[in-house]
Amino acid sequence: MKTSRLLLIVCAIFAMGHAVANGLNYTIQNLNKSAHISGPTLTEEDFANKLILIEIWGKDCPPCRASLPKMADLARKYAKDKRVLILGSHQQGRADDAIRKLLKQNKCDYPVYQFLTTSLEPASRGIPHVYIINHKGELAWNGHPNAMAPVLEKLVKETPFHDPNSIIGNVNLEAFKSYASNFRYGKNIERAIQQVEARKERDPEVAEEADAIIAACYGWADAIHEEITTNLECYPSKAFIAYQKLSKSFPQKAAEFKPQFAEITKDKITGHLVKLRQEYAKRKTQPMATSSEKKRLASSLRMHLTRIDDIVKHMGEDVTEDALDVQKEWHALRDKLAE
């Protein structure tokens, strides 16, 4: 492989920085394959913009075992509510088979991990213990599972349905509620900001909400701009997808990159990698909770896996980190479906 060691190191550093930039405002430990016990597997993306309920428990704790059927009922109640994520963190030893048997007996089909913790977990507590993180990434409540029902119901009602195409995040729209569709990905946000600024000038009482909207818009644009510059050299296909996002919503801000991408898009390999990344983004969000859903998705991956493997093989010693990264993503999705 002709890529220099220095370039590989730089790419790795950029990739790490990108992961942090797109993470939550709290950390999660042991959210990995080796710690997974049962239920659907999760990634940090599954936690974003949701109400997270985590029960800390142990198999040798009688009150914990008594709580399992209630947790199972609760998980089924909110299974179709995309605002809510319920999971368990087992913290009494690694007898995984015995734990799985206990979970199966109690019809617990929600995600359970060994020793899963977050930086928001209460420092002092016994088991069983529940803590709830709101959609803003704040500790909203913690206590015994028997006391959480009215609190949980209230917190669910307060949790907004997340619009994945909105670029203003958790900004609460009141005075500007009718403007909501103007702040969705694909709209000209530069024009929308002008409208907000004009109204702010006419009506100073809406200034605080207007400033929050404008800050969120520019924050989104700055994050996409950083994504482009971070990936431009090592992962041009990833950078190009980010550039497309910026072009649609902040065309003036995206203009500085136009000459670079005019050259990059002439490369056929990069064009193939862009399409594969876009397809991967669609596939990874498809439901895969049941075995039948996993089988359907697995069968639909074959053509794309063959395509990226052929690209990497064809490039030989000149294979780029961009191509290897795309291959890694598709193979990781295949392996997840095989679990």
Side-chain angles (χ1 to χ4, degrees):
M1 193 181 295
K2 295 180 181 179
T3 311
S4 71
R5 177 179 292 272
L6 178 60
L7 183 57
L8 291 177
I9 293 172
V10 170
C11 288
I13 292 171
F14 280 162
M16 288 171 61
H18 176 66
V20 171
N22 286 282
L24 304 165
N25 59 356
Y26 58 92
T27 58
I28 308 170
Q29 295 79 41
N30 295 322
L31 186 68
N32 52 55
K33 185 177 180 180
S34 64
H36 177 255
I37 301 176
S38 67
T41 56
L42 302 171
T43 67
E44 284 196 4
E45 290 179 358
D46 295 311
F47 287 68
N49 303 296
K50 291 182 182 176
L51 187 73
I52 311 297
L53 186 155
I54 302 176
E55 183 185 41
I56 306 164
W57 68 286
K59 68 178 180 61
D60 299 322
C61 160
C64 296
R65 294 198 299 271
S67 177
L68 289 176
K70 299 173 186 176
M71 284 293 295
D73 289 342
L74 201 62
R76 281 189 287 274
K77 178 181 177 179
Y78 290 107
K80 294 184 178 180
D81 193 329
K82 294 183 179 181
R83 297 172 297 170
V84 183
L85 174 61
I86 294 174
L87 64 151
S89 172
H90 182 267
Q91 298 193 11
Q92 274 190 334
R94 289 290 323 225
D96 289 12
D97 289 341
I99 299 166
R100 289 190 185 101
K101 183 178 179 181
L102 182 61
L103 291 167
K104 187 175 181 181
Q105 288 171 347
N106 287 280
K107 299 180 180 179
C108 298
D109 54 6
Y110 53 89
V112 178
Y113 282 79
Q114 284 279 21
F115 301 99
L116 182 140
T117 61
T118 76
S119 56
L120 298 178
E121 181 176 316
S124 177
R125 44 109 187 122
I127 56 172
H129 193 92
V130 164
Y131 66 102
I132 302 175
I133 302 170
N134 66 21
H135 66 286
K136 298 179 182 179
E138 304 164 337
L139 181 63
W141 184 86
N142 78 97
H144 193 280
N146 290 344
M148 73 176 170
V151 179
L152 177 62
E153 190 172 338
K154 179 177 181 290
L155 289 171
V156 171
K157 287 180 180 178
E158 292 173 354
T159 304
F161 285 94
H162 175 62
D163 181 356
N165 290 317
S166 174
I167 71 166
I168 58 173
N170 294 320
V171 175
N172 184 33
L173 297 181
E174 292 180 1
F176 289 91
K177 190 172 287 186
S178 62
Y179 291 57
S181 62
N182 295 346
F183 306 116
R184 302 181 85 244
Y185 164 65
K187 296 281 188 174
N188 188 321
I189 305 301
E190 291 168 335
R191 189 177 300 132
I193 289 173
Q194 291 174 355
Q195 293 172 344
V196 172
E197 288 175 332
R199 181 170 173 187
K200 174 186 170 182
E201 197 163 321
R202 293 194 307 271
D203 183 3
E205 289 186 3
V206 304
E208 186 175 348
E209 186 178 337
D211 289 342
I213 291 169
I214 294 167
C217 290
Y218 282 126
W220 182 89
D222 289 344
I224 300 297
H225 187 281
E226 183 180 356
E227 187 176 353
I228 295 169
T229 55
T230 294
N231 292 302
L232 195 55
E233 184 174 6
C234 300
Y235 307 104
S237 67
K238 188 181 288 187
F240 182 70
I241 291 172
Y243 168 69
Q244 287 179 314
K245 288 182 181 179
L246 196 63
S247 296
K248 289 179 179 178
S249 298
F250 281 82
Q252 293 180 30
K253 195 174 182 67
E256 68 176 273
F257 296 108
K258 191 171 182 179
Q260 291 163 287
F261 283 109
E263 289 299 315
I264 287 172
T265 51
K266 292 178 182 178
D267 181 66
K268 290 183 179 180
I269 295 294
T270 300
H272 288 307
L273 295 179
V274 167
K275 290 179 181 177
L276 282 164
R277 284 194 187 276
Q278 291 170 329
E279 190 62 35
Y280 168 78
K282 294 177 187 176
R283 303 283 173 169
K284 74 172 184 175
T285 58
Q286 290 180 6
M288 56 177 83
T290 66
S291 57
S292 60
E293 287 172 341
K294 284 186 175 183
K295 285 179 182 177
R296 281 197 298 270
L297 184 52
S299 65
S300 70
L301 301 186
R302 292 169 190 158
M303 178 179 70
H304 306 290
L305 283 163
T306 300
R307 186 183 301 172
I308 184 57
D309 288 344
D310 286 346
I311 288 173
V312 170
K313 184 178 179 181
H314 174 74
M315 295 179 81
E317 290 187 350
D318 293 323
V319 67
T320 62
E321 285 301 301
D322 200 15
L324 291 173
D325 186 59
V326 174
Q327 185 185 48
K328 182 181 177 182
E329 286 185 334
W330 279 96
H331 280 260
L333 181 57
R334 180 201 61 188
D335 294 343
K336 184 175 181 178
L337 291 170
E339 291 177 354

